[in-house]
Amino acid sequence: MAETESYPPIDPTNFDLIVVGTGLPESIIAAAASTAGKTVLHLDPNPFYGSHYSSLTLQDLVSFLNSHSEIPKTNSLQSDDTTIVDVNTRPLYSDVEISSYDDSLEEHSRKFNLDLCGPRVLFCADLSVNLLLQSTANQYVEFKNIDASYVGDGNGNLMNVPDSKSAVFKDKTLEYSEKNQLNSFFKLVQGHLEAVKSVDVVIDAEKIISDDDLESPFVGFLDKMKLPPKIKSIILYAIAMVDYDQDAGESCKDILKTREGIDRLGLYHSSVGRFPNALGSLIYPIYGQGELPQAFCRRAAVKGCLYVLRMPVISILLNKDSGNYRGVKLVSGQELSSDKLVMDPSFTITSSKCLQNISKLARGICITKSSLKPDISNCLVIYPPRSLYPDQATSIRILQLGSNLAVCPSGMFVFYISVVCDDALEGKKSLHAAIDGLFSVHTDQTDSNELKPTLLWSALYIQDLIEGSVGPVVTTPTPDGNLNYNNLLDATSMLFKKLYPDDEFFPETSNTDSSDKLEDDSEVVLDS
Amino acid sequence: MASRRRMLLKVIILGDSGVGKTSLMNQYVNRKFSNQYKATIGADFLTKEVQFEDRLFTLQIWDTAGQERFQSLGVAFYRGADCCVLVYDVNVKKSFDNLNNWREEFLIQASPSDPENFPFVVLGNKVDVDGGNSRVVSEKKARAWCASKGNIPYFETSAKEGFNVDAAFECIAKNALKNEPEEEVYLPDTIDVGSGQQQRSSSGCEC
């Protein structure tokens, strides 16, 4: 309903902090700064919340991907004491490929809530869940279980991931000896983590893993524990969620150390059973990942942050002499000042150093009318390196979601696929390999032997990975290639600490803070 | 349906800034009113237990948290609402004219499964101001609009004097209860990560 022209001028015109973009890192910074008592203005050029972390309708997703894959231009203008630098949109997406095999999907466009940064899940014990609780933003989001995890191979088999003691017990594919090996390994890890946690007890050297082992590659440690290849692969790629082929030796870009591997197993296992009705370790927000930034924005609003959507920032005002940031100019023509500015990574100005592309991600979204497994609505599938084709260098992760998560119309399923890659060609090759492995592509003649879900629609795209940075303005990170938000949230809390070294990032007390409640609004005169 | 969802009714209050949304909530739940206006900061939602045909329900009334000022409410706010309350100020014509925009915005954003029959309630607030002399929207005109939108129940209220506020919210609760939520999404396997961690205390005053 809103046209920017109908907006009244923004009042006040000076803030402690202006945040541009409503992605998860920006929203968390806005909420944390508002909670710390800063005056915050939160702007977004889009008519929706979430930026690159949002969940969109079918139509909006396609137009967002296309509009963020164009090449921008930049120029700057000098006036008496201020340098005015144009803000440009940096294309984060490239090689966007939309395929539709069923025109009827368009009619249901609004029933889809498609994640731009999928596949993504929360581990019940991870940082994002802790942050939701600590900030009390959890009251705006509800979750459901991811029912199962599978490891896939090139022959179309999906093997259940025995990720806990009870899952190992119930598993039908493992030999008795394999079950024993896996159980004793889980026990070893648990024993180690418990021993490390209890600092005041004398540590039993037998129970903990030696420092030598902790600093050596996890894959070698698994070999040392004599775990068979199948189980090794499950632990590395489907529980510790490692990206790169750990058996590639020297050529592997990122070798996971045992210490980190043990921590990831610990996170996985402590996630199981954290919440009474969460059966596994993974959960997903109803209505999509885009609910998370919105929850933090509402928290920020409740703490006094001012929200203006559909409001692009067209230029940044810098002090001519010092080059220091002073304020922003909006598309409405209004100029606003603030001490600090935070921008999402799709906005750039010339004076800031050219952001380096470190890596790329290939992402895919697929829609079908049937599930990979008849009785399972929401599940995770991992294709470890080399499982689909010989030179597959990284794991491919797929998340299947059903309509009980309100992400698609009833009777349909949405799949998210992602893989880290060096270039678009390699990334697309991996996506296509996964799609060929999971789905049958729509043809006129129906193959009655084909049990795979039929692909109705897909969007494949390459996303640039940009890390957060601090300059005249603070830039937040793009969504990364991980399943959970842990690294992004670490980066976000670091940015907050750089912005406000003296303020706490969501103090624990905000839990019991009663100032949210209307009746405790102490400034107002009450009469009854 | 015995799910938690059925016991909890989500009500959202929409309307232009300054029409009295927060005051109406506050009057209904806390029996309090403040003359000093400031744009809403610090309002989240209020809850109140209501009894209907021998069953207890929790009415959860969501404030806009000021995000309506620049029409920046976001789709999450609208999700799962059981009743939408549209408020205008009888002394401000524009706030009445905008009711249509708010209603349409709600239907687009919340996309209820049966938009024709989704329960709305309209409140014409601030009838006390200047003894009614500064009023610019007549009751007749308001009722005509409500009738044209599928007979939306209409109440004239004064949050300041507590006039008609209880009656209006009684109607709101009844209508919220009639709304059928989308069952598939709200089956009882929903995980609330706050449960068992820190019991979400009812933010409403129980007095």
Side-chain angles (χ1 to χ4, degrees):
Chain A
M1 64 180 275
E3 291 299 323
T4 318
E5 302 86 71
S6 70
Y7 282 177
I10 292 170
D11 176 38
T13 56
N14 183 36
F15 295 86
D16 292 330
L17 174 67
I18 295 178
V19 182
V20 183
T22 53
L24 188 63
E26 303 94 86
S27 304
I28 290 172
I29 288 173
S34 304
T35 304
K38 314 292 175 200
T39 56
V40 186
L41 171 66
H42 202 168
L43 304 167
D44 195 310
N46 297 308
F48 51 83
Y49 282 93
S51 299
H52 301 284
Y53 297 78
S54 59
S55 303
L56 299 172
T57 67
L58 203 64
Q59 272 175 356
D60 288 348
L61 179 101
V62 172
S63 64
F64 189 81
L65 285 175
N66 286 328
S67 70
H68 282 79
S69 53
E70 289 153 14
I71 308 294
K73 51 165 183 31
T74 301
N75 49 63
S76 67
L77 205 86
Q78 302 272 328
S79 75
D80 36 341
D81 63 337
T82 307
T83 309
I84 302 168
V85 189
D86 282 1
V87 173
N88 288 295
T89 307
R90 174 197 157 89
L92 284 188
Y93 307 106
S94 60
D95 304 272
V96 179
E97 215 182 307
I98 312 284
S99 313
S100 182
Y101 309 98
D102 187 339
D103 296 337
S104 72
L105 283 191
E106 292 288 325
E107 294 166 28
H108 305 290
S109 169
R110 287 206 63 86
K111 294 227 161 179
F112 287 98
N113 290 303
L114 302 176
D115 298 343
L116 275 166
C117 66
R120 218 167 263 281
V121 292
L122 287 78
F123 291 62
C124 291
D126 75 13
L127 278 180
S128 59
V129 174
N130 293 344
L131 199 59
L132 282 165
L133 289 167
Q134 209 176 320
S135 65
T136 70
N138 66 292
Q139 57 198 335
Y140 315 126
V141 201
E142 286 184 307
F143 297 88
K144 283 193 183 182
N145 281 302
I146 299 301
D147 310 311
S149 295
Y150 303 100
V151 168
D153 66 17
N155 302 321
N157 300 313
L158 295 177
M159 193 176 66
N160 204 24
V161 173
D163 53 7
S164 64
K165 217 170 164 185
S166 63
V168 172
F169 181 75
K170 278 186 273 181
D171 195 280
K172 293 186 186 80
T173 59
L174 296 173
E175 306 278 334
Y176 179 73
S177 62
E178 292 175 316
K179 287 189 178 190
N180 271 343
Q181 283 170 312
L182 199 55
N183 267 338
S184 34
F185 181 72
F186 285 161
K187 224 168 132 185
L188 173 82
V189 171
Q190 211 171 356
H192 171 79
L193 290 168
E194 277 166 16
V196 171
K197 234 193 284 171
S198 59
V199 275
D200 46 5
V201 183
V202 181
I203 292 175
D204 182 356
E206 291 286 299
K207 274 194 176 157
I208 63 160
I209 299 163
S210 75
D211 276 352
D212 275 358
D213 278 338
L214 288 175
E215 289 308 312
S216 64
F218 192 40
V219 63
F221 182 72
L222 298 178
D223 283 334
K224 195 173 153 185
M225 295 292 117
K226 301 198 170 56
L227 293 173
K230 185 167 85 177
I231 289 181
K232 220 175 77 181
S233 175
I234 288 171
I235 291 173
L236 282 172
Y237 305 107
I239 297 179
M241 307 294 177
V242 175
D243 285 323
Y244 291 98
D245 187 352
Q246 302 295 297
D247 285 313
E250 292 290 298
S251 65
C252 177
K253 277 191 189 158
D254 190 8
I255 291 271
L256 186 76
K257 283 186 181 167
T258 303
R259 188 185 298 280
E260 169 90 29
I262 299 290
D263 282 348
R264 293 196 191 180
L265 258 60
L267 170 65
Y268 200 103
H269 285 151
S270 56
S271 291
V272 179
R274 180 176 183 188
F275 302 113
N277 55 350
L279 303 172
S281 67
L282 310 178
I283 52 174
Y284 184 90
I286 298 176
Y287 299 111
Q289 295 291 343
E291 295 297 289
L292 299 180
Q294 290 189 76
F296 283 100
C297 287
R298 181 163 172 97
R299 194 87 282 265
V302 166
K303 294 288 181 183
C305 180
L306 183 59
Y307 276 89
V308 188
L309 295 181
R310 306 171 195 86
M311 184 61 85
V313 168
I314 54 166
S315 42
I316 304 286
L317 314 177
L318 303 173
N319 265 336
K320 198 174 178 183
D321 297 330
S322 63
N324 287 342
Y325 163 78
R326 267 185 41 185
V328 298
K329 188 176 180 184
L330 306 178
V331 74
S332 62
Q334 196 178 5
E335 288 184 9
L336 302 169
S337 60
S338 66
D339 293 339
K340 319 242 182 202
L341 177 69
V342 171
M343 290 203 294
D344 104 25
S346 55
F347 304 112
T348 66
I349 49 173
T350 34
S351 61
S352 70
K353 264 186 300 177
C354 219
L355 296 156
Q356 289 287 313
N357 276 359
I358 26 169
S359 195
K360 287 178 188 291
L361 274 173
R363 295 195 194 274
I365 305 173
C366 297
I367 297 169
T368 72
K369 273 186 181 155
S370 51
S371 168
L372 293 171
K373 292 267 179 177
D375 300 325
I376 298 283
S377 172
N378 312 315
C379 63
L380 189 68
V381 178
I382 312 286
Y383 284 113
R386 288 179 287 115
S387 62
L388 281 173
Y389 56 97
D391 57 345
Q392 180 197 338
T394 56
S395 337
I396 305 170
R397 290 187 278 262
I398 299 108
L399 179 64
Q400 172 191 302
L401 303 174
S403 57
N404 69 344
L405 281 165
V407 296
C408 59
S410 189
M412 289 195 189
F413 294 87
V414 178
F415 296 79
Y416 296 100
I417 313 172
S418 83
V419 60
V420 291
C421 59
D422 289 331
D423 55 65
L425 204 68
E426 187 199 340
K428 287 284 179 76
K429 185 180 173 184
S430 301
L431 291 183
H432 283 296
I435 288 171
D436 291 346
L438 293 169
F439 312 118
S440 63
V441 176
H442 209 88
T443 45
D444 286 335
Q445 73 275 16
T446 39
D447 186 350
S448 55
N449 294 327
E450 195 66 89
L451 292 168
K452 291 175 179 175
T454 303
L455 187 62
L456 302 179
W457 185 93
S458 68
L460 310 184
Y461 51 103
I462 306 294
Q463 184 215 303
D464 285 359
L465 270 174
I466 303 167
E467 287 183 10
S469 63
V470 182
V473 303
V474 169
T475 301
T476 51
T478 56
D480 61 17
N482 296 331
L483 267 180
N484 66 25
Y485 291 103
N486 275 6
N487 290 359
L488 284 165
L489 297 185
D490 275 336
T492 302
S493 78
M494 288 286 283
L495 290 177
F496 182 82
K497 282 189 187 111
K498 287 206 171 129
L499 281 165
Y500 298 112
D502 300 329
D503 288 291
E504 217 182 317
F505 186 62
F506 294 115
E508 292 286 346
T509 51
S510 66
N511 269 345
T512 49
D513 190 351
S514 57
S515 69
D516 303 358
K517 297 169 191 169
L518 293 165
E519 65 268 35
D520 293 328
D521 205 348
S522 54
E523 278 178 56
V524 297
V525 183
L526 302 171
D527 59 55
S528 45
Chain B
M1 208 163 64
S3 80
R4 185 179 69 82
R5 179 67 200 169
R6 227 41 217 126
M7 308 305 293
L8 187 71
L9 302 170
K10 177 175 175 178
V11 172
I12 66 173
I13 304 195
L14 291 177
D16 285 4
S17 295
V19 297
K21 298 183 292 295
T22 310
S23 295
L24 282 162
M25 288 170 63
N26 223 355
Q27 176 60 257
Y28 173 60
V29 177
N30 299 320
R31 310 250 170 255
K32 283 173 183 171
F33 179 81
S34 160
N35 255 325
Q36 262 169 291
Y37 173 74
K38 57 177 190 180
T40 301
I41 288 178
D44 201 348
F45 52 80
L46 293 180
T47 57
K48 183 156 171 143
E49 302 285 318
V50 290
Q51 196 170 357
F52 190 72
E53 288 173 357
D54 293 337
R55 286 174 69 195
L56 268 180
F57 297 90
T58 302
L59 208 57
Q60 193 179 55
I61 310 162
W62 288 63
D63 200 357
T64 52
Q67 283 172 300
E68 87 287 9
R69 247 176 97 189
F70 293 94
Q71 288 93 51
S72 302
L73 275 161
V75 65
F77 175 74
Y78 297 92
R79 296 203 196 281
D82 295 298
C83 179
C84 174
V85 183
L86 301 171
V87 186
Y88 76 99
D89 177 347
V90 298
N91 308 289
V92 180
K93 174 97 173 16
K94 190 154 190 287
S95 72
F96 176 73
D97 295 340
N98 274 339
L99 286 185
N100 205 40
N101 292 335
W102 285 117
R103 180 176 171 274
E104 279 174 16
E105 178 79 354
F106 175 85
L107 291 174
I108 291 169
Q109 299 273 10
S111 37
S113 47
D114 184 7
E116 298 293 310
N117 295 307
F118 186 86
F120 287 95
V121 173
V122 171
L123 308 184
N125 193 33
K126 302 197 187 180
V127 291
D128 60 279
V129 172
D130 197 16
N133 290 324
S134 61
R135 175 167 193 149
V136 291
V137 181
S138 70
E139 182 173 350
K140 195 179 158 198
K141 192 172 173 186
R143 286 197 183 277
W145 183 80
C146 290
S148 75
K149 299 295 172 189
N151 286 319
I152 302 177
Y154 176 72
F155 292 86
E156 303 233 311
T157 56
S158 161
K160 185 179 180 179
E161 290 170 359
F163 171 71
N164 230 2
V165 174
D166 279 359
F169 275 92
E170 208 168 287
C171 173
I172 290 161
K174 264 184 207 168
N175 281 297
L177 199 55
K178 272 189 249 162
N179 183 50
E180 284 295 322
E182 285 175 47
E183 292 195 25
E184 190 187 23
V185 176
Y186 289 110
L187 286 173
D189 59 342
T190 306
I191 298 156
D192 171 6
V193 296
S195 65
Q197 294 285 314
Q198 35 154 80
Q199 205 53 50
R200 184 199 304 174
S201 65
S202 138
S203 38
C205 148
E206 312 294 341
C207 56

